[in-house]
Amino acid sequence: MAMKHLTIEKIRNIGLIAHIDAGKTTTTERILYYTGRIHRLGEVNEGTTVMDWMDQERERGITITSAATTCHWQDCQINIIDTPGHVDFTMEVERALRVLDGAIVIFDAVNGVEPQSETVWHQADRYHVPRIVFINKMDRVGADFDDTISQINKRLSVTPLILQLPVVEDSEFKGVIDILREKYYYWDEEKGKHYKTLDIPEGSRGIVARHREKLLEQLSEIDETIMDKFVHGKQPGIDEIQGGIRKATLSSKYSPIFCGSAFKNKGIQPLLDGVINYLPSPVDLPPVKGVNPDTTKEETRNNQPDEKFCAFAFKVQADPYVGRLVFVRIYSGKLISGGAVYNTRKRSMERISRLLRMHANKREEIKDAHCGDIVGVVGLKSTITGDTLSEKKHPLLLESMYFPEPVIWVAIEPKSKADQEKLAYALSRILEEDPTFRVRTDEETNQTIISGMGELHLEIIVDRIKREFNVSASVGRPQVAYKETITKSVSGVGRYIKQTGGRGQYGHVEIQVEPIEGVFEFIDETRGGSIPRDFIPAIERGVKSALETGPLAGYPMVNVRVKLIDGSYHEVDSSDIAFKMAAGIAIDETTRKAGPILLEPIMKVEVVTDETSLGEIISDINARRGRIVTMDMRGKRYHVHTFVPLAEMSGYATTLRSLSQGRASYNMEPAKYEPLPRNIAEALLPKAMV
């Protein structure tokens, strides 16, 4: 199906975000079916959905990588990104939200606002992404529309604009009532492609009238036209109400509420209408801001096709058919296949060999792409996630992205020489794709260490290495990514002086290290030219390099401020390398004396259970050095909020199943680093702690 270019007002760039198992992929599948993009409905539990195309996704029934697709509704083009819900893949949500204009946030009507729901909501807050809400699974036993609305209001600090009410007859979800039009949408066919528009059932008219009154009251707070009519007892028209809802949604302080059941094929078409009516087109967004690297001044680009070109690379993917594929969001101007673009961060030109419009793992070649488009680009050799593409004559550098630090690692060893080469290639490809993945070599054991956001994250990567890249490898048990820090302020000296007959090496620095709240600070306090300015960057590099290996066990050091107090230099023998070495020597000397301690990652864990196993679960959390923060009851289930050290969470899923006979569930995400208790540190590092 060939795609025609529409005016920018007719484009919607949206993402579907939610807690795991809330129904994102199923909802996306229904959207594609009803818009005519696909002609057969797939199911997650059968492994037949379009958007979950990776083998690992189909086997596990979860989304791992965000997949992009395009469809049409009414006379608009909707570019959709379906994102993962599992916390280990939160980076996929982060990079999607970085380039999207709006989002559908999906909530499970049975479980309400779940932990990862809160996480993705706050991610959307960070990027000021307007949202509409779809309360899914209204067909399930225990579905509670009103309680979910209450949780959204209280836990997410957002004002819900209720546009629909569910209709349940004899415990069966039948359809939804449209509060604006005061109509009942009833689905009576299995695939839900068509629905009937009926009058509101007699018994529901009073509650619909009350909800409509409340909606107009809410909108009158931000829309003067509606306020004027509301005050004078007049009824605003449908177009006026929709205009008010759109204005409220774009403020991100209000979110329209829709409901339905994606699995039962009910409620999707009105949700699509909501995407068109209330979520922004690129024109509704403020001009994109960036910095001109030549002048260091802030500049803007308007969201217009005739503006100077600017785009943001938000994802790199190794495509089995076209090779290295870079996903870009075009903010201004246009992109032409066969043309060239300027990578502002790398300060290099890149050639575009092909432009592709993506549909999950399928692709359609296009000749050009315009402002507002999200496309795949083939031919960009050095562009990575977070890079800005622009014109060389008019460079612009957009703000990059936040990449969380890995919290867990494993050792991976190839089984043969041939596998060693294949492993290096596989790791380099995955590193390009995944900014939360890290690889290093342990200097003592010479092992390859891979780090990630959780056990599932590393499990998927190892599976890809073996299956996708055909590498035979052995993998160790997951290990915790500890860090080191200092507890007191210490001064010290570092000298690197060598005479070898010809030109020597001379570097001398005096530093002070002190603990801080924050990852790292370097402050130059030298006076009177004791060290020439040209050498200061080399000293800072030496400090950073030395802090990568702590004095206790070689873990990276954090929460350290380093002050360069004094030093000296030699007219001939001083060099960058000499001062870098001197800085490293000074760090080694001072950090050993500054009360070094180990820090361990602490996880935010929420356990959902019934009363039967609550006591045993709390006892187990305490035994794992966990701290229970709050405990609240929703319906008949307890939600236990805790902080637990990651080192104690190994095998927790199996234990929880056993304690609750499979009835309890949990969610876990990185929270912070805290000092490791001395008795555990001594057992872990007996020699270092003497």
Side-chain angles (χ1 to χ4, degrees), residues 1 41 100 129 156 167 248 458 491 516 523 566 612 665 687:
M1 182 170 66
L41 283 173
L100 291 173
V129 176
L156 303 177
V167 177
L458 291 182
S491 298
I516 59 164
I523 302 172
D566 203 358
T612 312
S665 62
K687 293 178 183 176

Side-chain angles (χ1 to χ4, degrees), residues 166-317:
V167 177
V168 179
E169 296 174 2
D170 300 324
S171 301
E172 186 180 348
F173 174 63
K174 295 288 188 181
V176 301
I177 292 174
D178 183 329
I179 289 171
L180 266 69
R181 292 171 177 80
E182 298 178 288
K183 291 294 181 183
Y184 170 29
Y185 301 146
Y186 172 70
W187 281 262
D188 62 348
E189 63 169 46
E190 187 183 346
K191 292 190 176 179
K193 201 154 192 176
H194 304 285
Y195 60 93
K196 295 175 182 176
T197 302
L198 309 173
D199 290 332
I200 298 172
E202 190 69 38
S204 301
R205 289 183 181 175
I207 193 169
V208 171
R210 289 195 296 275
H211 274 286
R212 201 171 196 277
E213 186 83 359
K214 184 180 179 182
L215 176 65
L216 294 177
E217 189 180 316
Q218 289 174 316
L219 295 177
S220 67
E221 295 173 10
I222 58 166
D223 191 294
E224 290 183 9
T225 304
I226 294 175
M227 176 185 274
D228 186 57
K229 291 195 173 183
F230 185 72
V231 168
H232 292 92
K234 297 178 182 177
Q235 280 293 322
I238 294 292
D239 289 345
E240 288 174 320
I241 298 174
Q242 286 187 332
I245 296 170
R246 185 178 180 82
K247 189 185 293 184
T249 308
L250 297 186
S251 75
S252 293
K253 294 177 183 174
Y254 302 79
S255 287
I257 306 290
F258 296 82
C259 62
S261 168
F263 183 64
K264 295 285 185 171
N265 310 316
K266 295 174 182 176
I268 301 301
Q269 294 95 330
L271 177 66
L272 278 165
D273 290 340
V275 169
I276 304 303
N277 293 331
Y278 308 127
L279 289 181
S281 74
V283 167
D284 296 311
L285 304 175
V288 66
K289 293 180 181 178
V291 174
N292 184 323
D294 295 340
T295 63
T296 68
K297 291 182 179 177
E298 186 176 271
E299 292 184 7
T300 60
R301 296 282 189 274
N302 292 312
N303 300 292
Q304 294 295 339
D306 55 357
E307 175 71 276
K308 294 182 281 290
F309 170 72
C310 175
F312 185 81
F314 67 95
K315 180 172 179 171
V316 178
Q317 181 177 306

Side-chain angles (χ1 to χ4, degrees), residues 405 440 481-485 546-551 553-560 597-599 673:
E405 285 294 313
R440 65 180 175 86
Y482 294 101
K483 294 188 187 296
E484 299 183 27
T485 192
L547 288 175
E548 288 176 6
T549 308
Y555 293 115
M557 299 202 75
V558 294
N559 304 347
V560 179
I597 58 170
L598 283 181
L599 299 175
Y673 272 81

Side-chain angles (χ1 to χ4, degrees), residues 84-235:
H86 197 286
V87 67
D88 282 16
F89 308 104
T90 191
M91 183 59 217
E92 290 290 324
V93 183
E94 187 85 19
R95 57 174 154 200
L97 288 170
R98 172 65 176 80
V99 298
L100 291 173
D101 304 336
I104 301 172
V105 187
I106 301 176
F107 294 94
D108 182 331
V110 178
N111 296 314
V113 178
E114 298 174 273
Q116 192 64 9
S117 307
E118 292 187 61
T119 301
V120 298
W121 190 275
H122 297 316
Q123 284 176 299
D125 279 340
R126 182 157 63 237
Y127 294 110
H128 309 291
V129 176
R131 280 141 275 176
I132 61 176
V133 168
F134 182 60
I135 298 178
N136 192 25
K137 303 193 178 184
M138 286 304 307
D139 60 300
R140 295 271 299 276
V141 175
D144 194 328
F145 179 80
D146 292 333
D147 185 55
T148 304
I149 296 285
S150 175
Q151 290 182 42
I152 289 169
N153 184 218
K154 291 175 184 174
R155 298 180 66 178
L156 303 177
S157 302
V158 66
T159 303
L161 300 174
I162 300 175
L163 306 187
Q164 292 181 343
L165 295 173
V167 177
V168 179
E169 296 174 2
D170 300 324
S171 301
E172 186 180 348
F173 174 63
K174 295 288 188 181
V176 301
I177 292 174
D178 183 329
I179 289 171
L180 266 69
R181 292 171 177 80
E182 298 178 288
K183 291 294 181 183
Y184 170 29
Y185 301 146
Y186 172 70
W187 281 262
D188 62 348
E189 63 169 46
E190 187 183 346
K191 292 190 176 179
K193 201 154 192 176
H194 304 285
Y195 60 93
K196 295 175 182 176
T197 302
L198 309 173
D199 290 332
I200 298 172
E202 190 69 38
S204 301
R205 289 183 181 175
I207 193 169
V208 171
R210 289 195 296 275
H211 274 286
R212 201 171 196 277
E213 186 83 359
K214 184 180 179 182
L215 176 65
L216 294 177
E217 189 180 316
Q218 289 174 316
L219 295 177
S220 67
E221 295 173 10
I222 58 166
D223 191 294
E224 290 183 9
T225 304
I226 294 175
M227 176 185 274
D228 186 57
K229 291 195 173 183
F230 185 72
V231 168
H232 292 92
K234 297 178 182 177
Q235 280 293 322

